[in-house]
Amino acid sequence: MLNKVCLVGRLTKDPELRYLANGTPVANFTLAVNRTFKNRNGEREADFINIVVWRKQAENCANYIGKGSLVSIVGRIQTRSYDGADGQRRYVTEVVAEEVQFLDSKNSRNSQRNQTSNDFDTNDVPLDDLYPIDGDEEDLPF
C-alpha cells in the first residue's frame, strides 16, 4: 500500500497554530495548487487543499511562512470524521505534511502579500528555479 502526496502551491492565508492539551503544536493552512490545464473560458483553475502540520514543523510554518508563500509539501492523505454541533456527521479529507519546504524568500513573500491579485499561479515559477539540475541532462537516468 502507498499513500504519498507531493504538492507545490501557495498559502491562501497565514497558518493557524494551536496547541493540544498535551502541549503538542499543530498548524493548519490551505494550499492553492493550480491545475495544469485551462477551463473553457481560458482561465486556470486551482484546487484548495487543506494541510495539517505537526510539532516543531508546525511552529516553523507559523513563524516563517504566510499568505502567498510558495511551499512544497510531501505527506499523506488522511480522512477523518466528527459530529458537528448540529448532530450531523462531517467528513474531512486533508494532507498531513511530513515535509514542508519553503520555496521563496521572505522578501519575495512580502512583495507577494502586497499584490492585490489572488492568482496563485505556481506555473509562473520555472521548475529549473525550484529544482536545479547539477551536471548535464544527458546523464539523468530518465
Side-chain angles (χ1 to χ4, degrees):
M1 305 269 184
L2 178 65
N3 181 356
K4 190 151 188 130
V5 175
C6 299
L7 301 167
V8 174
R10 293 195 182 273
L11 277 69
T12 62
K13 61 182 179 176
D14 292 343
E16 296 176 13
L17 178 66
R18 62 186 173 89
Y19 293 87
L20 302 181
N22 65 5
T24 304
V26 59
N28 297 76
F29 56 87
T30 301
L31 196 68
V33 179
N34 276 2
R35 295 181 180 170
T36 57
F37 54 89
K38 295 181 180 179
N39 65 18
R40 290 182 179 176
N41 298 329
E43 299 166 343
R44 193 172 302 278
E45 296 178 354
D47 292 302
F48 298 90
I49 301 165
N50 296 324
I51 309 293
V52 179
V53 186
W54 292 90
R55 298 176 185 76
K56 183 65 177 171
Q57 202 165 221
E59 293 176 319
N60 287 340
C61 286
N63 290 329
Y64 298 109
I65 59 174
K67 180 178 180 177
S69 294
L70 183 65
V71 298
S72 167
I73 304 286
V74 176
R76 60 185 169 81
I77 293 178
Q78 174 178 286
T79 303
R80 59 184 171 85
S81 64
Y82 65 94
D83 292 325
D86 59 359
Q88 294 289 329
R89 176 69 85 195
R90 306 269 192 253
Y91 295 91
V92 178
T93 301
E94 55 204 1
V95 173
V96 178
E98 296 164 359
E99 299 173 31
V100 179
Q101 293 197 358
F102 309 156
L103 299 179
D104 60 4
S105 68
K106 189 174 182 178
N107 290 338
S108 66
R109 184 172 69 246
N110 287 338
S111 67
Q112 179 73 26
R113 283 185 182 179
N114 293 334
Q115 292 178 356
T116 57
S117 171
N118 287 330
D119 183 16
F120 297 104
D121 191 354
T122 56
N123 291 323
D124 288 345
V125 179
L127 286 178
D128 290 341
D129 290 351
L130 295 177
Y131 306 102
I133 298 173
D134 293 332
D136 196 8
E137 287 188 25
E138 279 85 38
D139 296 334
L140 295 175
F142 49 87

